[in-house]
Amino acid sequence: MKKLIASILTAGLALSLMACGAKSDKNKNHKGEVIVSEVQTEPSHGLDGEYKATDTEEYFKIYDLTDSGFKVEFYHFEEGLLEKFDYEMEFDNAEKTIASEKGSVDDNGGWEYAFAISGDTIKVTWQQNEQLYKRAS
């Protein structure tokens, strides 16, 4: 009985060691060097930052960027005054080049901002209007 238990324990230990060896081989290249992979918590396109309108004093800041969307601190004119508004945006396509306010036009009182992202330029559209914004340096 002791030999049977010892054999089972030895076999279990051998399988555990083989499993550990197999896992570590996946993290090595063909030269046996260990490969370290980085974990990204934000999309790699780096949208966060400040964008200024090309022909007005309006601007916005993108922050809290995730795989599903981002938040915007938007400074735009309301009744002649530059006022701050906060919006939550969600990506509308897999390429993350189009984003719009969370919810629908009806949820947002008939207004819905949409962002068309192209490099350091974002075209913002709402109702029948559009405005071009460029990343601030």
Side-chain angles (χ1 to χ4, degrees), residues 52-75:
K52 295 186 178 196
T54 56
D55 59 355
T56 71
E57 295 174 27
E58 296 179 327
Y59 66 97
F60 59 84
K61 296 176 187 175
I62 293 177
Y63 64 100
D64 282 351
L65 190 62
T66 67
D67 276 339
S68 60
F70 52 90
K71 292 182 181 178
V72 178
E73 187 177 285
F74 209 143
Y75 294 85

Side-chain angles (χ1 to χ4, degrees), residues 89-108:
M89 308 293 282
E90 59 189 351
F91 291 113
D92 295 334
N93 62 356
E95 297 81 20
K96 296 180 173 70
T97 57
I98 304 292
S100 62
E101 283 183 79
K102 283 189 174 182
S104 69
V105 174
D106 293 334
D107 294 335
N108 296 312

Side-chain angles (χ1 to χ4, degrees), residues 45-52 119-121 133-137:
H45 45 68
L47 282 175
D48 53 335
E50 186 172 310
Y51 295 79
K52 295 186 178 196
D120 287 341
T121 303
Y133 292 79
K134 293 197 181 240
R135 183 183 293 275
S137 49

